[in-house]
Amino acid sequence: MSIKEYAKEMIERDQVFRDIAEQTETLWINDKLLPFEMTDALCQLVVTDEDIEDTERRLHKFAPYIKKCFPETAEDDGLIESPLADIPEMKRALEEKYGTEIPGRFMLKMDSHLPIAGSVKVRGGIYEVLKHAEDLALEAGLITEDDNYERFADDDMKEFFGKHTVQVGSTGNLGLSIGIMSAFLGFKVKVHMSADARQWKKDMLRSKGVDVIEYEEDYSKAVSEGRRLSDLDPTSYFVDDEYSLPLFLGYAVAAGRMKKQLEEKGVTVDGDHPMIIYVPCGVGGAPGGVCYGFKRLFKDDVHIFFCEPTLFPSVLLGMASDRFNEVNVSDFGLTGMSAADGLACASPSGLVTRICRNLLSGDFTVRDAILFDYMRMLKATEDIFIEPSSCAAFIGPLNIMKLDAGKTYLEKHGLTAEKLANATQVCWATGGRLVPDEIWDKYMNTYLE
Ligand SMILES: *Cc1c(COP(=O)(O)O)cnc(C)c1O
């Protein structure tokens, strides 16, 4: 059956897909979520705990270099990390405005404020660029594994990387991360930007000497063209958001880092103290890696939900249809532009839709208009600014209590009122720190239907 025919059948069969076709906010519960133990062996075939540990080790090796180049990381000794904040005032405001209780402790993981490029893409993007630089330098005999990696700041290293190109396709934030880090190391950089990408992100990259190539088409096109052009050039390396394991690993490291922060804040996560995490989702790379890392550490005590724009529920559809990366949101009649520029991906990552098929709890869709309301509310209550895409996470804690699918999920997993009172709910803020002031003013004054 063609995907279009299959999509039609799904829409006829199930209310969730009718909601999606009608662009109504909905919640898809993953029908193939398995108890963690049942997924363990197969998952480790693709990404092992050792791979994640190796990633953390490599980031530690680069820490002296990062600290030297980006003084804002000095506090964390060159490790690139973001705060975990309680947001009780936001919780109260959401409860009041939307008439829904949000049980348990309510927190914001502020990847919106990560050093260097101010978005979750810093985790995967910077890691992949550093790893590539290390691979090249080792191969050329410019460093050994035992060297102090501050060496990467030396002029001869920059000169060497200048003979190499890094390319990436992006809706904006991945381009910023890859672009800023690669340019810093000395690489030539080409960023292929989709039509949804914001002008200020293109301007910022150009100001750093990055070659920005603009497309009138969507994100999938920017990626496929970038990949094709990079493959033609033997000195070019393509950071592939749809398939990359290093990116995935960079994101997965978040879990171990946040475990420490939770402990510092006195948060317990166990069978009696569940944790629910909501992550804004585009192509799936960042939320997929985050999801994977958390499931490996907290197993069935953590529940991960993704949040996608009503116009771009590509990861949801890729998983629900089991057609993975073959799906395009247009198969379900969805076309158009989203104000959630960071999430505007029409087709999902093949890697993430597969590896998270038995790990993800579900996927919420959210209307563009409400993102700006959440954004204003967070600013007013907690004095925290995050970009509209990033606000998609707030639909989760509301609709899990409101929608029947959410209530059913909670019941099925024994998340009783008593347990939820002991729970921690975390919204993942995925971007915002680099947004220029004049753009903030514009966002703050955006009211959509
Ligand atoms: C990229 C991005 C996401 C989601 O990441 P994907 O890897 O595309 O799923 C979420 N929020 C913001 C602000 C982003 O830029």
Side-chain angles (χ1 to χ4, degrees):
M1 210 187 304
S2 79
I3 294 179
K4 277 214 166 68
E5 283 164 351
Y6 190 58
K8 195 161 159 258
E9 195 217 271
M10 286 169 76
I11 289 167
E12 276 163 19
R13 173 162 43 94
D14 196 321
Q15 183 61 41
V16 172
F17 305 108
R18 280 198 290 283
D19 290 343
I20 285 168
E22 289 161 9
Q23 296 175 35
T24 305
E25 286 177 350
T26 193
L27 165 59
W28 171 72
I29 293 297
N30 185 0
D31 52 318
K32 292 195 176 166
L33 170 65
L34 290 176
F36 177 82
E37 291 308 326
M38 291 175 68
T39 68
D40 190 19
L42 266 182
C43 278
Q44 293 226 49
L45 199 58
V46 188
V47 177
T48 64
D49 293 335
E50 174 58 26
D51 293 333
I52 299 174
E53 283 157 25
D54 178 58
T55 303
E56 185 62 274
R57 267 197 301 277
R58 185 165 291 106
L59 286 167
H60 272 91
K61 276 174 86 173
F62 272 104
Y65 168 73
I66 294 291
K67 187 174 168 185
K68 186 170 178 180
C69 300
F70 303 98
E72 74 251 46
T73 64
E75 219 172 288
D76 287 313
D77 256 338
L79 283 189
I80 304 166
E81 203 33 76
S82 75
L84 175 66
D86 280 294
I87 45 167
E89 298 304 324
M90 179 66 173
K91 170 169 148 159
R92 256 191 290 281
L94 284 169
E95 289 179 328
E96 196 168 305
K97 175 152 186 196
Y98 297 101
T100 308
E101 191 208 352
I102 299 175
R105 197 163 166 176
F106 194 45
M107 305 183 101
L108 191 69
K109 179 57 178 160
M110 293 172 61
D111 277 5
S112 47
H113 291 66
L114 275 171
I116 305 177
S119 85
V120 66
K121 302 298 195 311
V122 167
R123 293 187 183 278
I126 295 212
Y127 175 68
E128 177 150 7
V129 172
L130 292 175
K131 170 144 192 351
H132 176 57
E134 182 192 43
D135 288 344
L136 288 176
L138 283 171
E139 197 185 335
L142 288 169
I143 54 158
T144 69
E145 303 228 20
D146 301 325
D147 285 344
N148 182 328
Y149 279 13
E150 269 187 41
R151 162 102 178 88
F152 278 84
D154 293 351
D155 286 341
D156 65 317
M157 296 290 271
K158 281 192 179 158
E159 212 171 289
F160 168 71
F161 292 129
K163 294 181 206 125
H164 298 265
T165 305
V166 174
Q167 304 199 42
V168 65
S170 175
T171 58
N173 283 336
L174 185 62
L176 280 178
S177 282
I178 303 283
I180 291 171
M181 192 68 239
S182 304
F184 218 94
L185 280 157
F187 285 106
K188 284 180 276 187
V189 200
K190 291 185 183 174
V191 176
H192 303 262
M193 289 277 209
S194 64
D196 301 87
R198 300 276 176 173
Q199 188 60 43
W200 69 264
K201 293 181 182 174
K202 299 176 194 170
D203 295 343
M204 190 176 285
L205 279 172
R206 289 195 172 115
S207 77
K208 299 191 187 288
V210 171
D211 187 5
V212 176
I213 299 135
E214 300 178 61
Y215 293 84
E216 281 172 25
E217 294 92 344
D218 73 357
Y219 171 74
S220 310
K221 176 75 178 180
V223 172
S224 62
E225 270 303 289
R227 189 188 289 127
R228 190 183 68 80
L229 291 170
S230 182
D231 287 349
L232 291 175
D233 175 359
T235 66
S236 175
Y237 179 81
F238 187 64
V239 176
D240 201 324
D241 203 7
E242 293 179 336
Y243 294 98
S244 165
L245 273 181
L247 271 184
F248 189 84
L249 286 165
Y251 296 123
V253 162
R257 302 272 186 90
M258 199 171 99
K259 186 165 187 266
K260 289 204 192 88
Q261 292 179 319
L262 288 165
E263 284 161 8
E264 282 162 19
K265 294 200 173 273
V267 175
T268 308
V269 181
D270 62 22
D272 294 321
H273 303 80
M275 180 160 64
I276 312 178
I277 303 180
Y278 308 94
V279 199
C281 178
V283 74
V290 167
C291 170
Y292 191 80
F294 274 94
K295 290 304 282 189
R296 295 220 61 81
L297 278 187
F298 295 100
K299 307 185 166 58
D300 298 327
D301 299 332
V302 68
H303 305 263
I304 313 277
F305 289 88
F306 293 169
C307 307
E308 296 186 281
T310 46
L311 268 176
F312 288 96
S314 58
V315 169
L316 188 168
L317 294 172
M319 284 196 191
S321 65
D322 285 309
R323 298 293 182 102
F324 309 109
N325 49 306
E326 287 173 43
V327 163
N328 188 293
V329 295
S330 65
D331 300 330
F332 290 77
L334 302 174
T335 54
M337 300 268 281
S338 174
D341 50 314
L343 314 180
C345 302
S347 287
S349 156
L351 170 69
V352 167
T353 44
R354 284 179 178 87
I355 202 165
C356 290
R357 185 67 173 101
N358 304 124
L359 299 173
L360 184 71
S361 292
D363 197 321
F364 293 91
T365 62
V366 55
R367 284 177 305 119
D368 283 8
I370 210 169
L371 300 176
F372 292 90
D373 296 337
Y374 294 151
M375 187 191 73
R376 281 182 283 268
M377 194 184 269
L378 186 65
K379 171 66 184 154
T381 55
E382 307 282 351
D383 200 23
I384 298 172
F385 243 143
I386 62 176
E387 64 185 275
S389 299
S390 203
C391 294
F394 293 117
I395 195 72
L398 294 171
N399 274 355
I400 199 163
M401 301 298 285
K402 218 174 218 176
L403 299 179
D404 287 342
K407 292 182 207 161
T408 308
Y409 178 89
L410 294 174
E411 201 175 312
K412 184 173 167 198
H413 292 270
L415 298 168
T416 56
E418 193 191 343
K419 264 198 195 172
L420 285 174
N422 296 328
T424 302
Q425 301 203 60
V426 182
C427 288
W428 210 279
T430 44
R433 195 174 60 91
L434 291 194
V435 175
D437 288 343
E438 64 275 18
I439 305 290
W440 275 132
D441 289 342
K442 235 174 90 190
Y443 284 166
M444 285 299 272
N445 290 301
T446 299
Y447 294 86
L448 302 175
E449 277 297 301

